[in-house]
Amino acid sequence: MASSSASRRLDPDIELGINEINAHAKAQFSGSLQCCWDDCKRRILRSNRDFKPGDKLFSDQPLRMVQERLGCRLLSELRSLYEEPKRKRINLDPLWCWCALHCLTSAELPKKFPCNCPKVDA
């Protein structure tokens, strides 16, 4: 069973994120979904209406799409970090980390960023 955030105060950043998700869900999905906090699963989506088998719950555009770039030095370095015995310390797939780093703008990246991929400028 989900824990209620009403019994304790959430971190302000988490609460802000939940409020933003709920504002988006209200605007885009007629409020049929609500984001709330679960102490075990973290942020979860709950339905505010009944669904029948086969109903589409929602559809949304992806926030970010990336494709692995062959010959990328950074991706090669990340993959080397995931080889045994280091693998036990890192739980994410190297491609996820590579994608996250590519969401940063040129200004947010270190000057000696070991990647030959084009940078994002915002």
Side-chain angles (χ1 to χ4, degrees):
M1 175 142 205
S3 299
S4 170
S5 62
S7 60
R8 65 176 178 79
R9 189 88 170 126
L10 291 176
D11 177 277
D13 290 334
I14 292 172
E15 197 167 336
L16 177 63
I18 289 172
N19 291 340
E20 288 176 352
I21 291 168
N22 284 332
H24 179 75
K26 184 176 182 180
Q28 298 298 316
F29 312 119
S30 304
S32 62
L33 299 170
Q34 180 182 13
C35 181
C36 52
W37 184 258
D38 180 274
D39 287 335
C40 294
K41 295 181 180 181
R42 308 295 192 210
R43 289 182 300 208
I44 60 172
L45 282 177
R46 289 196 171 155
S47 170
N48 288 331
R49 69 174 184 88
D50 292 334
F51 289 93
K52 295 179 284 195
D55 281 355
K56 182 190 283 189
L57 302 181
F58 67 90
S59 108
D60 205 1
Q61 295 295 317
L63 296 176
R64 177 87 166 146
M65 291 176 56
V66 294
Q67 180 177 351
E68 180 178 334
R69 187 176 176 101
L70 298 177
C72 175
R73 292 188 308 263
L74 176 62
L75 187 54
S76 295
E77 287 186 32
L78 286 170
R79 285 195 170 126
S80 73
L81 292 173
Y82 285 78
E83 294 170 358
E84 292 294 343
K86 299 173 191 168
R87 176 78 175 140
K88 294 176 184 165
R89 291 184 279 155
I90 303 171
N91 295 327
L92 296 173
D93 185 286
L95 189 58
W96 282 106
C97 294
W98 182 79
C99 291
L101 289 169
H102 279 81
C103 290
L104 301 174
T105 65
S106 301
E108 295 170 317
L109 293 170
K111 293 196 186 324
K112 294 187 176 184
F113 187 61
C115 188
N116 53 335
C117 299
K119 307 297 182 286
V120 175
D121 288 312

